[in-house]
Amino acid sequence: MESQETVLQHLSKVTPSCEEEAKSLEFITQFVAEQPRYWARDTLVGHLTASAWITNAEQTKAVLLHHKKLDIWVQPGGHVDDSDESLAQASLREAQEETGLANLTLKQTEIFDVDVHAIPERKSEPKHNHLDIRYWFIADNETLTISEESNELKWMSRAEIEMITQEESVLRMVRKTLL
C-alpha cells in the first residue's frame, strides 16, 4: 500500500465541490496523517476504503449496486487489501469484482471524490467510519455481472439515480459527472 506521505500528497490535490466534501477531506487528511495503517480493517476506529464511480463515455449513465448488507444503492467499492499497491488500484479491483467490467479506464488520475460515512456495528466489528476515496472510471462496454455482495446492479441515468436514492455523496458524484 502507498505510504502515508504519498496518500497525503494525493489528498492535497483534491478540490472539494461543497462544504460536506471539504469536511470529509479535512477529516480524512488528519486521519491518514495520524494512522500508520490508515487502510487496514484492524484499525477499528475507521479505515480508508476505495470506491469506483463508473460512467459510460457519453456520461449519460453510471453504475450503481444495491448493497446487501447496507440495503442502499451505492457505487462499487470496498475495503483496501494489504496487497493493493495503491488506492486507485484498490478502487479498480473492487470495481471489477463487483461489476464484472474488465476494461475500465481512469477518467482522471487523481482522486475524484471523498466521503466519510458511519458503518453500523455488526457481530464481528464495532461501529466505525469508512473514509471513502473515490476514483472515476469510464467503461468501454455496459455488460454487467452481479456479485454476491449485491441484490441488484445496473446502469442508471441521472433521473433514475435521483429517483432511487437520497444519499448525498452519491448525488454529489452524479452532479459532478452525468449530463
Side-chain angles (χ1 to χ4, degrees):
M1 180 46 54
E2 296 171 287
S3 69
Q4 286 170 284
E5 181 179 309
T6 300
V7 173
L8 290 170
Q9 289 173 357
H10 291 307
L11 290 167
S12 73
K13 296 175 184 175
V14 175
T15 303
S17 63
C18 62
E19 186 177 333
E20 182 180 338
E21 189 178 10
K23 288 178 183 177
S24 290
L25 177 61
E26 182 179 344
F27 185 88
I28 292 169
T29 300
Q30 182 175 348
F31 182 87
V32 171
E34 294 173 357
Q35 295 289 336
R37 290 181 46 81
Y38 60 87
W39 75 93
R41 288 181 86 162
D42 60 9
T43 305
L44 295 179
V45 296
H47 37 265
L48 265 62
T49 54
S51 288
W53 183 247
I54 304 169
T55 66
N56 60 357
E58 299 79 20
Q59 292 179 230
T60 57
K61 295 187 274 186
V63 175
L64 288 185
L65 57 87
H66 189 264
H67 197 280
K68 276 186 183 176
K69 289 182 183 175
L70 298 176
D71 193 31
I72 57 173
W73 285 95
V74 292
Q75 73 284 347
H79 288 99
V80 177
D81 292 343
D82 288 342
S83 60
D84 289 325
E85 295 177 14
S86 68
L87 293 170
Q89 193 276 325
S91 176
L92 175 61
R93 177 185 50 75
E94 284 287 338
Q96 291 172 332
E97 288 174 0
E98 293 185 355
T99 68
L101 294 167
N103 296 318
L104 296 170
T105 305
L106 275 172
K107 174 71 173 174
Q108 60 187 55
T109 57
E110 293 301 327
I111 295 167
F112 165 66
D113 191 84
V114 295
D115 187 65
V116 176
H117 49 272
I119 300 298
E121 180 179 0
R122 293 203 184 93
K123 295 176 190 174
S124 61
E125 58 188 26
K127 179 180 176 181
H128 62 283
N129 286 321
H130 276 181
L131 291 70
D132 203 28
I133 307 298
R134 295 147 173 202
Y135 289 87
W136 181 8
F137 293 91
I138 302 295
D140 71 352
N141 73 70
E142 297 186 8
T143 304
L144 299 172
T145 305
I146 194 168
S147 78
E148 73 263 1
E149 296 179 32
S150 304
N151 291 320
E152 275 189 81
L153 172 69
K154 58 183 166 176
W155 286 97
M156 293 187 218
S157 68
R158 182 180 189 136
E160 290 169 318
I161 294 170
E162 290 170 346
M163 287 176 53
I164 57 100
T165 186
Q166 296 303 309
E167 294 290 326
E168 177 53 32
S169 73
V170 172
L171 296 174
R172 181 175 64 234
M173 292 186 292
V174 167
R175 289 189 299 270
K176 287 182 180 183
T177 60
L178 295 186
L179 305 175

